[in-house]
Amino acid sequence: MNIAVSALAAPTQDSLDAWLNTPRLAKCGEFFTPSEPMWWPDRSTRRAINWQAAIACVPADWQRWLHAALAYRTAESAQNTIGGTSTILSRAAQVGLNPLNEYHLIDLRERFSMSEFSALASFMKFWQKCESLEQRPSQVLIDAYGTLPRKKRPRNDVVLRLDPEQGPFTQVEQDDLFKWAHEQFCHGNLDTERYLYLRLLMIYGQRGTQLRMMVFNDFIKTERGYQVRIFWAKQKGDDAGWREKSETFNLDEDLYNVVQAYRSIVLTRLEQEYPGRADWGKAIEHVPLFRRKLVQKGGDTKLVPVIVDLPDQNVLEQKPQAKFHITCGTTSLWLFQMESMPDFPISSRTHKSLKISKGHRFRHTLGTDLSNAGLDEWSIASAFMHSNTRTVRKYRAVSAELMKLIDEKMSDHLALVVRAFTGTIVTDRASAKNGDRVDRQIEDLAVCGADKTCHLDAPFTCYGCSKFQPLLDADHSAALERLERRRAQTIATDKTTGVLWDRAILACRKVILDCIALRESGKAGGSDA
């Protein structure tokens, strides 16, 4: 389709209707006609843009110009962004709020969330600066949007409060999820496409939209090993656009082999289901790893094709096309369905199935793990594909306190799993090695079984030592409180060093649990932990 030259001209009061009836190019590279009832140029998204409901929020003499402003915005922003703006405008119309009325701004701010009001203000600023439109909001109104104090952000950050359903996974939860995914995949209960989506989320922690952009050609074998290409999201300026800017990350060889085997399967199905529609041996490079398969919802799901049946499949011989890629709604449904599958991991923090379909849990987990590993803010931002460190600072703030803030039951569970305590519990000093030596007594808590004096900070560093012999009836709970106080003091001055106390705390918890078990069982002799 070619754009008429007249469509490139700015609309006037007399030519606006004709301008709205002329096809225009959306950011995704597909055409749409502004006068059509719904806009859906990007078929890879799950919803169309309902501009008719949106323009009802302004007076009748302004509606056509708001209509044109939305059309202009669609050429510069993603369809989901415009869809969100349209929804905000239509919700304002439902309650009689006019975004062009300065006296309605406070009500608009209270009606919408911080992010929604900011999106509305951003669109109004765009409209005011769009010089191609004769009728625009006044600069006074835009200044009022800018100076209006925003709502105070609620202190409900899921990372900082380690939300058990939306915040970062613990290491135990990650291990359980990986084991489950591997077993279900090997037994044929989890298909390759969903397995790869889950594994890529777990490894790279990127946004779902970035994984949905992937094609088979993004998985690369080089002389230096295996790599994967991941494209940026939420970019502006020259880097804005679908699959415009990318970074490469190292890739595990086994995962690369799974992708290549899956590629062969997909290629075979393409040649069988759509013979002659494209040179599939060439087009497979640009075929999405996660593909859209049905033209519309409600189609026949009994015989799901390998890729959506669109007439121009041969365009994949040249480059990737967004319309062939899977939608957000489908991948969200995948994660939701996994939570209900047999033997799905149970969180010991909630005693329910792990939540993997809420928020950006995998992203939060990556940030916390990288911070725990000692990486600086710029390194974490680089792994997140962020251009600055502003949004990654919370991971530095929370990671050192992870063990302290999770609930007591989870701490006890970790104490059992980590095996931080490797010493031997004894019933009395007489049964302990070096029990008769005064210089080997550790307060009223234990006996040191080492042959040489270590001069470390007893008893704080002793619980994690294999030579440590805690007394069965000693008050190890009091020692635990002292350990946690010492750790808190260290964190106050050095969060990174404070993490080093975690293992001693876990070891002390294990001693407490083992002593309770021994006393209840009535055992009288020494016991290996």
Side-chain angles (χ1 to χ4, degrees), residues 50 100 139 171 194 199 225 255 361 370 377 393 424-425 459 521:
N50 185 359
L100 293 171
Q139 185 60 51
Q171 188 60 54
R194 301 184 191 208
R199 290 287 289 119
L255 195 58
R361 295 205 71 181
L370 293 177
E377 291 179 358
R393 290 170 186 162
T424 304
I425 296 175
S521 65

Side-chain angles (χ1 to χ4, degrees), residues 116-316:
E116 290 171 336
F117 185 77
S118 295
L120 174 61
S122 177
F123 171 74
M124 297 300 289
K125 184 177 181 180
F126 165 83
W127 185 6
Q128 198 280 328
K129 289 186 175 181
C130 188
E131 296 181 355
S132 297
L133 299 176
E134 291 183 358
Q135 204 160 313
R136 296 173 286 155
S138 68
Q139 185 60 51
V140 173
L141 176 67
I142 301 306
D143 291 342
Y145 270 101
T147 57
L148 184 68
R150 299 300 194 255
K151 290 181 182 178
K152 290 185 177 180
R153 186 180 297 276
R155 297 184 64 84
N156 63 348
D157 190 285
V158 296
V159 175
L160 294 178
R161 61 187 172 89
L162 296 169
D163 189 290
E165 293 193 345
Q166 298 186 63
F169 295 109
T170 65
Q171 188 60 54
V172 174
E173 291 169 340
Q174 293 181 68
D175 292 343
D176 289 346
L177 184 57
F178 173 80
K179 180 181 178 182
W180 175 85
H182 182 71
E183 290 179 349
Q184 295 297 316
F185 175 61
C186 291
H187 294 154
N189 299 325
L190 192 64
D191 64 49
T192 308
E193 197 170 16
R194 301 184 191 208
Y195 170 75
L196 287 172
Y197 190 76
L198 178 59
R199 290 287 289 119
L200 290 169
L201 278 176
M202 293 180 67
I203 296 171
Y204 299 105
Q206 301 299 341
R207 298 181 179 91
T209 184
Q210 293 171 277
L211 300 188
R212 291 190 292 274
M213 289 184 197
M214 287 182 162
V215 299
F216 283 108
N217 197 39
D218 290 331
F219 294 83
I220 311 162
K221 182 179 180 180
T222 69
E223 294 180 355
R224 294 176 293 178
Y226 302 92
Q227 295 181 329
V228 59
R229 185 188 300 116
I230 300 179
F231 284 81
W232 285 62
K234 296 188 175 182
Q235 294 303 291
K236 298 179 181 180
D238 294 338
D239 292 330
W242 188 74
R243 287 180 61 93
E244 286 294 331
K245 179 182 178 182
S246 67
E247 302 285 346
T248 56
F249 296 85
N250 290 331
L251 178 69
D252 181 76
E253 180 180 358
D254 290 340
L255 195 58
Y256 174 84
N257 291 334
V258 172
V259 172
Q260 296 309 305
Y262 183 50
R263 168 184 167 141
S264 299
I265 294 173
V266 171
L267 176 58
T268 300
R269 288 194 58 186
L270 287 168
E271 292 173 339
Q272 292 176 347
E273 296 177 21
Y274 302 109
R277 295 277 290 273
D279 181 355
W280 292 116
K282 180 179 179 181
I284 189 64
E285 301 287 339
H286 304 135
V287 169
L289 183 64
F290 309 110
R291 297 166 306 286
R292 178 179 166 218
K293 297 172 183 175
L294 300 176
V295 175
Q296 60 186 6
K297 293 182 179 179
D300 185 4
T301 58
K302 294 181 180 179
L303 298 174
V304 179
V306 67
I307 197 170
V308 64
D309 187 2
L310 295 180
D312 55 346
Q313 291 176 338
N314 61 329
V315 295
L316 290 172

Side-chain angles (χ1 to χ4, degrees), residues 82-103:
I82 307 304
T85 302
S86 299
T87 299
I88 294 168
L89 293 172
S90 63
R91 287 166 57 195
Q94 291 170 7
V95 293
L97 295 177
N98 177 9
L100 293 171
N101 189 334
E102 186 175 346
Y103 296 105

Side-chain angles (χ1 to χ4, degrees), residues 320-338:
Q321 300 286 328
K323 59 187 175 183
F324 291 102
H325 287 247
I326 201 166
T327 63
C328 172
T330 302
T331 53
S332 297
L333 180 62
W334 285 355
L335 298 177
F336 181 76
Q337 290 173 336
M338 288 181 200

